[in-house]
Amino acid sequence: MVITTGADGPANTPTAGHIHNSRDSAQPEAPRRPTVCRFFSQPQGCRFGSDCRFQHIASTVKPTPSVDTQPTPESLPVDPNEAAKSRGRGRGRKTRAQQSSTVRKRQIEDLLKVPQWTVKRLASDRNESALAVEMKPSDPDFPFDVHRLYLALVVPSQYPAKHLSDPVLTIQVANQKIPTGVKRNIEQAFVKHVRKEVIAAIENGDVEGAPTLEDHLVWLDRNLELLMQQKPAPTIKFTSNAASSKAASNKTESKAVSNKTESKAASNKMESKA
C-alpha cells in the first residue's frame, strides 16, 4: 500500500479514504461527496466497499410492526402516478343515469336522421320528450287508404328502461281518417310490444342491447296492416251536460204539448156530444 499525494505534496496523516491498492496508485481518488450511498443499506451492500465515493451511513432499522400495529391503507405512502390514474378513472366513469341519458340522446338524434321518415321534435320536459313522426307504409301493396301514418312518439326520461316499473315508450296516432277504435289497437299493440322487449332485455341482463327507437318503429311499420285488420277496440263517447239538459227539456215540452192537445180534443168531443 502507498499513500497518495496531492498537488501540494504528501499528506500529513493517511486516512482510510486515501488508501488504495498499488494497482490504483497511479490515479488519484476523486474527493468524497456528501451524498449517502443508496446501496449500502441494501441487503446486497455496496460493491465498492470503502472505495465508494458516497458516504456509507447505516440506516436506522425500523422494528417490524406487530399484528396490532399493522399500517392502514391511509398511512401507506401514495404513488403520485397511481393517484393521478385513480383521479382520471374517477372523472371518466359515468353513473348509470348518465349512461342512460347518453343512450337516450343518441337514439333520438339517430331517429331524427332516418331518411325514409320525417321526424321532428314536438316538446320536451323533465319527464318525457315527444317527437312527431310521419311515416309512409313500406309495403307497396298496403290495402288501406292511409298514405302516411302520423303519430307522436313519447320517450320517457328513464329510457331505456332498467326496471320493470319504469315507464316505456308510447305513441299517439293522429290520423283523422283512422277510426278511434283502430287507433287504440295500434297504440296498445305498440306498448305491449315495447314492454315485452324491455322485460326480455332486463331478464337477460342485456339492457344496452335492447331494440332502439328506430327498431320499435320498424316493427310498427311491418305490423301496421295486421293491426288495422283487427276488430276496433271499444270506445266511450262523452256528451256534454248542456246537450243532455236541452234534449230532456225538449222532450218535456213536447210531452206537455201533446197532453194539452189531447185534453183539448177530449173537451171538444164532450161539447159535440152534448
Side-chain angles (χ1 to χ4, degrees):
M1 294 185 296
V2 296
I3 301 175
T4 60
T5 60
D8 298 330
N12 295 330
T13 55
T15 60
H18 292 80
I19 299 176
H20 293 265
N21 293 331
S22 59
R23 60 185 180 183
D24 299 327
S25 61
Q27 298 179 356
E29 183 185 13
R32 282 183 179 274
R33 299 180 181 178
T35 307
V36 178
C37 177
R38 59 174 178 167
F39 299 104
F40 180 70
S41 59
Q42 300 297 324
Q44 66 272 18
C46 177
R47 62 175 180 170
F48 295 104
S50 61
D51 294 334
C52 181
R53 294 183 300 171
F54 303 100
Q55 294 182 2
H56 286 181
I57 300 177
S59 61
T60 304
V61 180
K62 296 181 180 181
T64 303
S66 62
V67 177
D68 297 334
T69 60
Q70 287 292 341
T72 61
E74 293 78 5
S75 64
L76 295 176
V78 179
D79 187 348
N81 295 330
E82 289 297 328
K85 291 180 181 179
S86 299
R87 290 193 297 269
R89 288 193 295 266
R91 287 193 298 267
R93 187 182 298 112
K94 294 184 178 180
T95 63
R96 182 173 296 182
Q98 291 173 332
Q99 293 175 352
S100 299
S101 177
T102 302
V103 172
R104 182 176 182 269
K105 291 180 180 179
R106 184 178 69 249
Q107 291 193 15
I108 290 178
E109 292 298 329
D110 291 343
L111 189 61
L112 292 170
K113 301 175 184 178
V114 175
Q116 66 268 27
W117 303 329
T118 301
V119 183
K120 299 180 180 179
R121 299 180 186 271
L122 280 179
S124 181
D125 57 28
R126 58 183 298 180
N127 297 321
E128 59 189 24
S129 297
L131 303 173
V133 181
E134 176 185 344
M135 53 192 303
K136 179 181 179 180
S138 59
D139 186 359
D141 300 324
F142 192 71
F144 296 94
D145 187 20
V146 178
H147 303 290
R148 292 282 193 280
L149 181 65
Y150 300 95
L151 58 90
L153 175 66
V154 181
V155 185
S157 59
Q158 292 92 336
Y159 179 88
K162 296 293 189 300
H163 307 90
L164 297 179
S165 58
D166 291 343
V168 297
L169 300 173
T170 59
I171 60 172
Q172 296 177 7
V173 180
N175 294 63
Q176 295 182 355
K177 293 184 178 181
I178 298 179
T180 304
V182 177
K183 292 180 183 180
R184 298 292 85 79
N185 286 342
I186 298 174
E187 295 167 354
Q188 293 172 5
F190 181 83
V191 172
K192 184 177 180 180
H193 157 75
V194 172
R195 191 171 296 281
K196 179 180 178 181
E197 294 292 341
V198 168
I199 294 175
I202 293 176
E203 291 180 349
N204 295 332
D206 187 22
V207 177
E208 300 300 331
T212 63
L213 299 176
E214 182 178 352
D215 293 334
H216 291 305
L217 291 181
V218 168
W219 175 90
L220 177 62
D221 174 54
R222 294 177 178 176
N223 293 272
L224 184 59
E225 178 181 347
L226 179 62
L227 297 177
M228 294 189 67
Q229 290 176 349
Q230 296 178 358
K231 181 181 178 181
T235 58
I236 300 175
K237 184 176 181 180
F238 295 93
T239 58
S240 64
N241 292 332
S244 300
S245 300
K246 186 176 181 180
S249 176
N250 292 338
K251 186 176 180 180
T252 303
E253 291 178 358
S254 176
K255 186 176 181 180
V257 171
S258 177
N259 293 337
K260 185 177 181 180
T261 304
E262 291 179 357
S263 298
K264 186 176 181 180
S267 177
N268 294 335
K269 186 177 181 180
M270 290 178 65
E271 292 177 356
S272 175
K273 187 175 181 181

